[in-house]
């Protein structure tokens, strides 16, 4: 069962629910598990928040009347978030997912006040006995994209529209480039930092600038469909980000890296109901079903499809690490020794660029 | 750097400048009549979402453009009723209109997010725009030519027609204009509605051409740049036309410089250049004589109540 609330309607409901909770205590034999979600964007963003909401809907569908989910969208990162998270806890939610990095400190703070409520914070690194963290290995999608890009590119140059130089984005650029250079050792990734997660017109203009420079495959770590549409206008191809973007640019979209939170939400809700929930740090990828590929577009050749399927199978079988040495950075310094592989901590702290990255 | 790249950059600049020009022209006329509507961003979003919905449901792009103009004008109408008839504070009402436009557009556009809108066609046949140099002139859709024509038309209207003179009189001295028998409120209603329609069209340019789809917050703050542009222009349409292309060029050069790997000028400096230019223009205007003919309309933002 799903239920939408805006923040205003929520305050009254929260008070009433808090009163019942105080009388009722923890006896919850047949009552559904209440699960709350805090979103940073609107569920209609067609990207990051949209995908988290799909995960919530998947949870509704999988557990039916055993859960009762609610969400608050468009929550500003900062003090406002603390208020919203606190209200969700007071409203009797026993499991609360805060889905953006910027909710980290607020989640920890509210969790201290509600030791019996379990919190899950996406993409953060601070945990507590009742606060778990979770994230997805998006770089695995980049490994597939790099392979396809190098196979299909005639110029040997991909354009990469990047948001902010944080490890999450940097490791994607590197994983992409390393995968591409396995196919074509001279492959170049040209990066433009647009300093925003979402500005469609600016993203489109950045795509045009990259195409002017001869890039013939477009990659993005921003949220709008605009770069793919710009690629389609010029008859080139690219990859969708966060959600399946093939509807917005059917000819240009080769495939998309899709965030798939449903499997994780379902697993954790089941553990909560069984009383087996424990604080943990989950970084799941394709094997866990948390990162998937969108539909293949018309630009995918049979060879490219076969190669992509093969990489996905290898990643799922844990046989294809993100990077295996020797890997040099742009100045020629060896960063990962021959034969060694990049560990999770290397990826999560990545602040340098591999050879072949420009911009 | 070859000719193709230069042409491509020039065309990107024109595309970036067009929505700024459309929205700023409308706001310029509204401000010339004495109303300051800070809701440009909101009206643009109303236009963008209306155009996308009509284009996706009917497939008729001209109907979509019409709907966008109407939606923008409705937003401006709301503003006009509140500020002109009910004399609400213009600054607060304009800001509220922006927030209102953001909310309404994301609500009504919910089922249309991320769907491909068929892009506006070019006006001239492809054969005419084949040569790169010809493409710079003949390679655009109707909005681009309309925006330039509108700038010339507004310039002519304000400086050469009686109606334009009345509109300026209302903006410079509302009590005097009223004493002379001109209907101050009616003129301001007309100017506001025109401003709203133009902002709506500017929004439509996003969802029909620049980024042919609908997504929440599609215009991403361009309405504020358009507002800055009106001030930068010193309330003159000719300067506004120049300013729109200058701002468009600064936005495009920021990205092209990054693509080229140029580091001579930090790209961040280019990103803030439109705002710096506006501040510089304001400073010059307020510095005295040199800017005397570039001042804001005397009654800008002030409520008008007929006394007799």
């Amino acid at each position: 069962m799903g239920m939408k609330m805006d923040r205003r309607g929520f305050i009254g409901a929260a008070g009433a629910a808090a009163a019942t909770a105080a009388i009722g205590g923890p006896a919850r034999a047949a009552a559904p598990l209440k699960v709350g979600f805090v979103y940073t964007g609107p569920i209609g963003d067609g990207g990051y928040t949209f995908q988290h909401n799909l995960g919530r809907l998947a949870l509704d569908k999988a557990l039916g009347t055993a859960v009762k989910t609610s969400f608050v969208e468009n929550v500003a990162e900062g003090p406002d978030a603390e208020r919203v998270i606190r209200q969700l806890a007071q409203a009797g939610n026993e499991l609360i997912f805060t889905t953006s990095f910027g909710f980290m400190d607020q989640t920890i703070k509210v969790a201290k006040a509600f030791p019996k409520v379990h919190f899950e914070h996406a993409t953060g690194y601070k945990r507590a006995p009742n606060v778990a963290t979770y994230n997805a290995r998006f770089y695995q999608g980049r490994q597939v994209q790099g392979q396809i890009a190098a196979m299909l590119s005639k110029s040997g140059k991909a354009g990469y529209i990047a948001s902010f130089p944080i490890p999450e984005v940097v490791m994607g650029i590197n994983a992409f480039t390393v995968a591409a250079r396995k196919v074509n050792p001279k492959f170049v990734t040209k990066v433009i930092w647009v300093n925003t997660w979402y500005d469609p017109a600016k993203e489109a203009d950045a795509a045009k600038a990259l195409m002017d420079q001869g890039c013939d495959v477009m990659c993005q770590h921003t949220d709008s469909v605009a770069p793919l549409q710009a690629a389609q206008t010029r008859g080139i191809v690219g990859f969708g980000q966060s959600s399946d973007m093939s509807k917005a640019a059917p000819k240009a979209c080769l495939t998309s890296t899709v965030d798939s939170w449903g499997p994780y939400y379902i697993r954790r809700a089941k553990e909560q109901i069984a009383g087996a929930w424990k604080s943990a740090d989950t970084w799941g990828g394709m094997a866990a079903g948390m990162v998937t590929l969108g539909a293949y577009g018309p630009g995918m050749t049979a060879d490219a499809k076969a190669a992509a399927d093969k990489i996905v199978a290898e990643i799922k079988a844990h046989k294809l690490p993100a990077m295996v040495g020797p890997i040099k950075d742009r100045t020629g310094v060896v960063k990962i020794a021959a034969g060694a592989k990049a560990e999770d901590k290397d990826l999560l702290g990545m602040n340098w660029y591999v050879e072949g990255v420009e911009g | 750097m070859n000719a193709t790249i230069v042409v491509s950059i020039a065309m990107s600049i024109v595309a970036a400048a067009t929505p700024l020009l459309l929205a700023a022209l409308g706001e310029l006329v509204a401000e010339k009549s004495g109303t300051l509507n800070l809701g440009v961003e909101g009206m643009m979003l109303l236009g963008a979402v209306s155009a996308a919905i009509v284009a996706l449901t009917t497939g008729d792009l001209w109907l979509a453009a019409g709907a966008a103009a109407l939606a923008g004008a409705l937003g401006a109408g709301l503003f006009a009723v509140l500020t002109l008839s009910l004399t609400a504070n213009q600054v607060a009402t304009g800001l509220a209109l922006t927030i209102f436009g953001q909310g309404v557009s994301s609500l009504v556009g919910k089922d249309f997010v991320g769907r491909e809108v068929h892009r506006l066609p070019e006006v001239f046949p492809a054969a005419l725009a084949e040569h790169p140099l010809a493409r710079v002139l003949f390679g655009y859709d109707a909005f681009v030519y309309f925006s330039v024509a509108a700038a010339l038309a507004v310039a002519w209207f304000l400086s050469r027609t009686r109606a334009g003179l009345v509109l300026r009189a209302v903006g410079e001295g509302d009590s005097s204009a009223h004493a002379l028998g001109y209907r101050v409120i009616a003129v301001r209603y007309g100017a506001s509605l025109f401003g709203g329609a133009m902002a709506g069209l500017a929004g439509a340019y996003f969802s029909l051409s620049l980024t042919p789809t609908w997504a929440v917050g599609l215009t991403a703050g361009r309405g504020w740049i358009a507002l800055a542009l009106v001030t930068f222009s010193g309330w003159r349409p000719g300067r506004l036309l120049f300013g729109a292309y200058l701002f468009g060029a600064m936005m495009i050069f920021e990205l092209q410089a990054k693509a080229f790997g140029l580091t001579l000028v930090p790209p961040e400096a280019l990103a803030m250049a439109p705002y710096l230019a506006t501040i510089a223009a304001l400073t010059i205007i307020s510095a005295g004589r040199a800017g005397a003919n570039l001042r804001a309309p005397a009654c800008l933002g002030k409520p008008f109540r007929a006394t007799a």
Side-chain angles (χ1 to χ4, degrees):
Chain A
M1 288 169 76
M3 168 175 169
K4 190 198 151 141
M5 280 185 180
D6 60 22
R7 272 173 276 173
R8 192 181 301 268
F10 193 72
I11 297 167
T20 1
I23 306 161
R28 198 203 70 239
L33 168 71
K34 288 181 83 179
V35 185
F37 290 82
V38 187
Y39 301 143
T40 179
I43 56 169
D45 70 353
Y48 186 78
T49 293
F50 179 75
Q51 290 301 129
H52 277 288
N53 196 50
L54 284 187
R56 182 185 67 84
L57 294 172
L59 171 61
D60 276 343
K61 205 172 163 210
L63 298 189
T65 51
V67 289
K68 189 171 162 66
T69 65
S70 60
F71 67 89
V72 187
E73 62 183 326
N74 260 329
V75 178
E77 298 179 353
D80 204 32
E82 185 183 326
R83 190 171 54 75
V84 172
I85 299 167
R86 191 178 294 278
Q87 285 166 0
L88 279 171
Q90 279 167 348
N93 289 287
E94 290 167 80
L95 186 58
I96 295 172
F97 293 93
T98 57
T99 63
S100 181
F101 181 79
F103 299 149
M104 180 162 68
D105 291 335
Q106 290 76 22
T107 304
I108 295 289
K109 200 169 166 193
V110 177
K112 271 190 193 137
F114 293 88
K116 285 190 181 153
V117 176
H118 292 154
F119 295 83
E120 300 253 3
H121 177 237
T123 72
Y125 53 82
K126 290 186 184 169
R127 279 171 293 280
N130 63 334
V131 182
T133 52
Y134 64 104
N135 197 357
R137 295 178 183 267
F138 300 121
Y139 67 82
Q140 294 178 339
R142 302 290 177 196
Q143 292 178 271
V144 184
Q145 292 177 1
Q147 166 88 22
I148 300 173
M151 285 176 79
L152 297 182
S153 171
K154 292 190 179 75
S155 65
K157 272 196 267 184
Y160 202 119
I161 297 153
S163 49
F164 298 97
I166 55 174
E168 176 76 37
V169 177
V170 175
M171 82 172 96
I173 293 170
N174 285 347
F176 174 84
T177 309
V178 166
R181 288 199 147 208
K182 273 196 217 164
V183 180
N184 171 6
K186 288 185 179 153
F187 196 86
V188 167
T189 306
K190 278 184 101 68
V191 182
I192 288 189
W193 298 96
V194 288
N195 297 321
T196 174
W197 288 108
Y198 182 79
D199 181 338
K202 190 171 186 183
E203 293 168 52
D205 286 337
K208 286 185 204 163
L210 288 164
M211 292 186 280
D212 289 345
Q213 292 296 313
C215 300
D216 59 1
V217 179
M218 204 51 61
C219 219
Q220 65 180 90
H221 203 142
T222 49
D223 293 341
S224 92
V225 297
L228 264 184
Q229 290 191 318
Q232 178 158 307
T233 308
R234 296 229 190 149
I236 73 156
V237 290
F239 302 100
Q241 166 76 3
S242 284
S243 60
D244 193 329
M245 291 183 171
S246 55
K247 259 196 295 180
K251 289 191 212 100
C253 187
L254 293 168
T255 183
S256 311
T257 302
V258 179
D259 312 357
S260 174
W261 303 105
Y264 182 75
Y265 291 155
I266 292 166
R267 174 162 72 83
R268 296 299 271 177
K270 279 182 178 165
E271 287 172 2
Q272 171 77 21
I273 289 169
W277 190 97
K278 274 199 190 73
S279 172
D281 178 28
T282 304
W283 199 22
M286 288 183 169
M290 289 170 74
V291 178
T292 57
L293 290 187
Y296 290 148
M300 287 284 279
T301 60
D303 286 355
K305 280 183 200 170
D309 289 341
K310 184 163 169 270
I311 294 182
V312 170
E314 284 174 4
I315 290 174
K316 281 187 176 168
H318 303 285
K319 282 182 188 152
L320 189 67
M323 295 167 209
V324 179
I327 303 265
K328 288 182 192 163
D329 73 4
R330 284 195 288 195
T331 56
V333 177
V334 176
K335 286 290 202 174
I336 300 171
K341 65 179 183 118
E343 301 293 338
D344 282 358
K345 66 170 171 38
D346 302 330
L347 294 171
L348 291 168
M350 200 159 256
N351 60 358
W352 51 274
Y353 299 93
V354 299
E355 271 183 320
V357 178
E358 288 180 7
Chain B
M1 194 196 280
N2 57 36
T4 330
I5 296 187
V6 176
V7 166
S8 171
I9 294 175
M11 293 186 71
S12 297
I13 292 171
V14 171
T18 296
L20 299 180
L21 181 55
L22 286 168
L25 269 177
E27 178 68 13
L28 181 136
V29 170
E31 291 191 13
K32 271 288 186 188
S33 80
T35 55
L36 176 65
N37 187 348
L38 297 183
V40 179
E41 177 79 1
M43 297 188 293
M44 281 172 75
L45 284 169
L46 290 174
V49 76
S50 308
I53 291 174
V54 172
L56 282 168
T57 47
T58 70
D60 187 334
L61 298 175
W62 299 115
L63 199 62
L70 188 66
L74 279 175
L78 191 64
F79 172 85
V81 169
L82 291 169
T83 60
L84 301 177
S85 299
L86 306 172
T87 59
N89 180 292
Q90 293 188 10
V91 171
T93 309
L95 290 173
L97 178 58
T98 285
I99 298 165
F100 174 75
Q102 286 166 343
V104 169
S105 62
S106 72
L107 178 72
V108 301
K110 226 177 208 171
D111 297 330
F112 299 89
V113 169
R115 283 168 59 184
E116 184 190 27
V117 174
H118 194 70
R119 191 184 287 262
L120 277 174
E122 277 81 38
V123 173
F124 297 102
L128 193 59
E130 207 166 332
H131 190 274
L133 290 178
R135 198 152 63 234
V136 179
L137 289 176
F138 301 116
Y140 308 102
D141 52 55
F143 273 54
V144 171
Y145 301 108
F146 171 75
S147 68
V148 177
L152 300 176
V154 166
W156 172 79
F157 170 79
L158 287 176
S159 63
R160 295 274 181 271
T161 68
R162 188 176 164 76
L165 182 66
V166 171
L167 186 141
R168 284 189 288 143
V170 164
E172 295 295 344
D174 46 15
S175 304
S176 317
H178 176 70
L180 286 170
Y182 295 118
R183 296 170 61 202
V184 172
I185 298 296
V187 168
R188 287 186 178 169
Y189 257 96
S192 290
L193 292 175
F194 175 76
M198 292 294 275
L201 286 175
Y205 192 63
F206 283 85
S207 55
L208 300 181
S209 178
L210 266 187
T211 51
T213 185
W214 167 251
V216 172
L218 189 69
T219 54
R222 298 296 183 285
W224 300 108
I225 299 187
L227 275 167
L229 182 57
V230 176
T231 309
F232 173 81
S233 74
W235 290 269
R236 292 172 134 199
R239 218 177 281 249
L240 186 97
L241 178 64
F242 165 75
Y245 282 84
L246 180 70
F247 282 23
M250 290 191 271
M251 286 155 69
I252 295 301
F253 281 142
E254 178 210 346
L255 299 165
Q256 289 286 350
K258 286 176 178 172
F260 265 108
L262 291 184
T263 46
L264 200 62
V265 182
E268 289 77 9
L270 286 167
M272 60 183 168
Y275 303 99
L276 288 179
T278 303
I279 294 170
L282 272 177
T283 314
I284 294 168
I285 289 167
S286 57
R289 272 174 209 286
N293 56 355
L294 296 173
R295 278 189 205 287
C299 297
L300 183 61
K302 290 178 189 149
F304 174 74
R305 284 187 193 85
T307 43

